[in-house]
């Protein structure tokens, strides 16, 4: 992803690949930048739990830079939450580290604010959050947020008007997409929300089973004293998943759930 930013290219399969656009964002091996940002946040949740301090520092700097450049609101809020949790539950000498980080942050900002490229990244990120805030009100301004609200409303309307689909879901994404775009005014069929994706694809039964398993994992981790993992899992489910076009079409969700499941078994056995 760093190479994509530095050299200005995208991999085949990216929505920017082969198109003459005035800007592009790193997507790694995914279709859009939000999917890549989602995977990066999930990797941080796992790797911050087991890497050495120097590697963690590099990972955090790398990840925050990439996410600032992409400007994904859900990903930035998620990585911030994960880092705060890591600081609270994994760092022993908190005051010393806080002072060190503050000095490094102040010096870095002072230096980087002289760089026009970095100023543009911060300005673009701030603009996205400002438009998101306006999009929640009547003044509007955030097309991304408004489009996603239309998608949520259309998806829930389809499910609400079909009792069988409400119970068991659509199972096939292509069949759901064809019906959504044909029968509603939704601009596209991407989910950008794990909750609506669960209900649409697996029905209310699948939705409840998934939530029960997530809360079981979170409670089990919390009970064994692994509070960081317990809360990081909830951050992932209820915040990070508002970014990608689809959560369950990405393999990282199964990797993350398997990781937390193994941690529960390991913690219980110890």
């Amino acid at each position: 992803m760093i190479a994509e930013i530095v050299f200005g290219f995208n991999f085949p399969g990216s929505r920017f690949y082969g198109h003459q656009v005035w800007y592009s964002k790193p997507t790694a091996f995914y279709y859009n930048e939000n999917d890549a940002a989602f995977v990066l946040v999930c990797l941080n949740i796992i790797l911050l739990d087991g890497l050495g301090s120097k590697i963690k520092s590099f990972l955090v700097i790398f990840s925050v830079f990439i996410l600032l450049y992409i400007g994904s609101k859900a990903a930035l809020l998620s990585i911030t939450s994960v880092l705060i949790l890591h600081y609270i539950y994994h760092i022993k000498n908190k005051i010393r580290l806080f002072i060190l980080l503050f000095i490094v942050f102040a010096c870095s900002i002072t230096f980087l604010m002289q760089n026009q490229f970095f100023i543009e990244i911060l300005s673009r990120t701030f603009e996205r959050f400002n438009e998101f805030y306006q999009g929640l009100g009547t003044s509007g301004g955030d097309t991304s947020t408004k489009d996603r609200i239309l998608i949520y409303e259309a998806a829930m309307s389809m499910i609400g008007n079909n009792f069988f689909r409400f119970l068991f879901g659509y199972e096939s994404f292509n069949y759901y997409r064809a019906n959504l775009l044909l029968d509603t005014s939704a601009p596209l069929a991407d989910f950008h929300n794990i909750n609506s994706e669960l209900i649409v694809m697996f029905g209310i039964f699948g939705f409840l089973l998934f939530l029960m398993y997530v809360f079981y994992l979170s409670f089990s981790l919390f009970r064994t004293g692994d509070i960081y993992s317990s809360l990081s899992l909830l951050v992932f489910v209820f915040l990070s998943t508002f970014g990608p076009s689809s959560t369950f079409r990405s393999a990282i969700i199964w990797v993350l759930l398997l990781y937390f499941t193994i941690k529960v078994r390991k913690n219980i056995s110890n």
Side-chain angles (χ1 to χ4, degrees):
M1 295 174 78
I2 288 288
E4 288 181 277
I5 296 175
V6 173
F7 299 107
F9 74 94
N10 292 101
F11 291 102
S14 168
R15 72 187 184 101
F16 299 108
Y17 182 76
H19 296 285
Q20 297 296 325
V21 294
W22 67 273
Y23 78 99
S24 66
K25 294 182 179 182
T27 61
F29 304 105
Y30 297 89
Y31 174 70
N32 64 45
E33 64 276 17
N34 287 320
D35 293 349
F38 170 67
V39 172
L40 190 57
V41 170
C42 292
L43 289 175
N44 270 270
I45 292 175
I46 297 174
L47 297 178
L48 283 174
D49 200 20
L51 294 179
S53 57
K54 292 183 179 180
I55 301 178
K56 286 180 182 178
S57 300
F58 173 78
L59 176 67
V60 168
I61 294 172
F62 166 82
S63 301
V64 170
F65 173 76
I66 291 292
L67 294 178
L68 280 172
Y69 189 86
I70 291 176
S72 170
K73 300 178 287 293
L76 284 169
L77 291 173
S78 298
I79 194 68
T80 301
S81 302
V82 169
L83 291 176
I84 291 174
L85 290 173
H86 177 74
Y87 175 80
I88 293 174
Y89 294 107
H90 277 196
I91 303 301
K92 295 181 179 178
N93 197 336
K94 295 180 175 59
I95 297 178
R96 179 182 175 184
L97 180 63
F98 178 80
I99 294 173
L100 178 62
L101 289 176
F102 179 79
I103 294 174
V104 171
F105 176 77
C107 293
S108 300
I109 289 295
T110 302
F111 171 76
L112 292 173
M113 286 306 289
Q114 310 300 318
N115 186 292
Q116 186 62 32
F117 175 71
F118 185 75
I119 293 175
E120 289 178 1
I121 292 176
L122 289 181
S123 299
R124 192 164 57 217
T125 302
F126 173 79
E127 183 178 353
R128 284 183 61 83
F129 274 97
N130 184 50
E131 289 179 347
F132 170 70
Y133 174 75
Q134 293 179 355
L136 296 177
T138 56
S139 57
D142 184 15
T143 304
S144 173
T145 301
K146 289 185 177 298
D147 284 348
R148 294 184 187 188
I149 291 175
L150 287 175
I151 295 170
Y152 302 157
E153 290 176 345
M156 292 302 100
S157 175
M158 282 183 58
I159 288 293
N161 292 328
N162 190 322
F163 187 68
F164 178 81
R165 297 301 180 188
F166 173 74
L167 293 178
F168 303 106
Y170 276 84
E171 300 173 358
S172 168
F173 174 73
N174 290 332
Y175 179 67
Y176 157 74
R177 177 175 57 186
N179 281 270
L180 182 76
L181 298 179
L182 179 65
D183 298 335
T184 72
S185 59
L188 68 164
D190 293 338
F191 292 103
H192 296 287
N193 184 340
I194 191 174
N195 301 294
S196 65
E197 182 173 3
L198 276 165
I199 296 176
V200 167
M201 300 308 299
F202 306 107
I204 192 65
F205 290 131
F207 173 71
L208 293 176
L209 284 173
F210 180 82
L211 286 188
M212 287 170 61
Y213 187 65
V214 166
F215 282 117
Y216 162 75
L217 287 179
S218 181
F219 176 75
S220 298
L221 289 165
F222 188 88
R223 188 179 57 181
T224 56
D226 195 349
I227 303 176
Y228 166 79
S229 296
S230 174
L231 297 180
S232 294
L233 174 59
L234 298 181
V235 168
F236 155 71
V237 171
F238 296 109
L239 184 56
S240 306
T241 55
F242 280 82
S245 56
S246 170
T247 302
F248 289 96
R249 284 184 288 165
S250 174
I252 192 65
I253 181 176
W254 308 115
V255 173
L256 196 62
L257 290 176
L258 178 62
Y259 169 76
F260 283 124
T261 303
I262 293 174
K263 286 209 73 177
V264 168
R265 296 294 299 273
K266 182 179 178 180
N267 291 347
I268 292 176
S269 64
N270 291 337

